[in-house]
Amino acid sequence: MIEDKELKTKIRTISILLFLISLTQKCYCSTSTCGDSIMAFLLGWAAIFTDGTGIAWLANPFLFIAWYTLSRNLKVSMMSSLFAVIFSLSFLLFGSTMDNEGGISHAIISYEWGYKLWTSSCLIMLIGTYYLMMRHNTRAKANKAFSSDAEYL
């Protein structure tokens, strides 16, 4: 059976790789252009103040927190992963976005590989942390049952 430390490393590595690959792809296409993921990552925070779709960018800090805390505090990593997934999927709720400096919103017509890989990166962290928590809780329950049985002998 894979040790938790090794499993944490694999989960974090896969998530980071998906994230880095996503930055090399287009993230969405609107009626005017297709957005580069790297630009959405670098400048997306500004959309929080101008456009509702900017809320999806908040998935990034939560994802970074999840990566950082995975080895330190599994519960924090799990909750951060959950928020990363929620914020990343929130982009699907918007039918248009402001994709240039002109301030005009354009309809989103497709979601490209950059968005899908970025969301997958968040989902991998969420699934991985929940699986690790399940393993931890199962072991704790088994240890508690074993120690309770020992008292009766």
Side-chain angles (χ1 to χ4, degrees):
M1 185 171 227
I2 299 175
E3 292 294 322
D4 282 355
K5 186 175 181 179
E6 183 180 337
L7 192 55
K8 287 176 183 180
T9 301
K10 286 181 181 184
I11 291 166
R12 183 185 299 119
T13 301
I14 292 169
S15 178
I16 290 171
L17 284 174
L18 286 172
F19 179 82
L20 292 175
I21 294 168
S22 78
L23 294 178
T24 67
Q25 307 296 309
K26 299 290 185 189
C27 53
Y28 67 90
C29 290
S30 69
T31 54
S32 69
T33 187
C34 287
D36 292 320
S37 295
I38 188 73
M39 293 308 292
F41 172 67
L42 294 174
L43 301 174
W45 61 269
I48 294 170
F49 306 110
T50 59
D51 187 17
T53 58
I55 197 167
W57 184 88
L58 292 174
N60 293 316
F62 283 109
L63 184 59
F64 299 156
I65 291 168
W67 290 339
Y68 181 76
T69 59
L70 183 60
S71 296
R72 292 163 182 81
N73 190 331
L74 187 56
K75 288 181 183 179
V76 171
S77 184
M78 186 173 60
M79 291 309 297
S80 296
S81 299
L82 177 63
F83 286 124
V85 168
I86 290 168
F87 280 117
S88 68
L89 291 176
S90 72
F91 189 69
L92 297 173
L93 299 174
F94 297 93
S96 64
T97 186
M98 199 177 334
D99 55 9
N100 61 32
E101 310 76 43
I104 300 170
S105 289
H106 298 277
I108 298 170
I109 56 174
S110 68
Y111 300 96
E112 301 301 321
W113 278 105
Y115 175 73
K116 294 170 186 173
L117 290 168
W118 175 60
T119 304
S120 296
S121 173
C122 298
L123 280 169
I124 289 293
M125 281 302 294
L126 179 65
I127 293 166
T129 54
Y130 272 81
Y131 177 70
L132 287 164
M133 185 59 76
M134 182 188 72
R135 283 173 55 123
H136 171 77
N137 290 340
T138 303
R139 277 194 308 269
K141 187 175 181 181
N143 287 340
K144 185 177 180 182
F146 179 73
S147 65
S148 296
D149 290 344
E151 291 175 12
Y152 296 110
L153 295 177

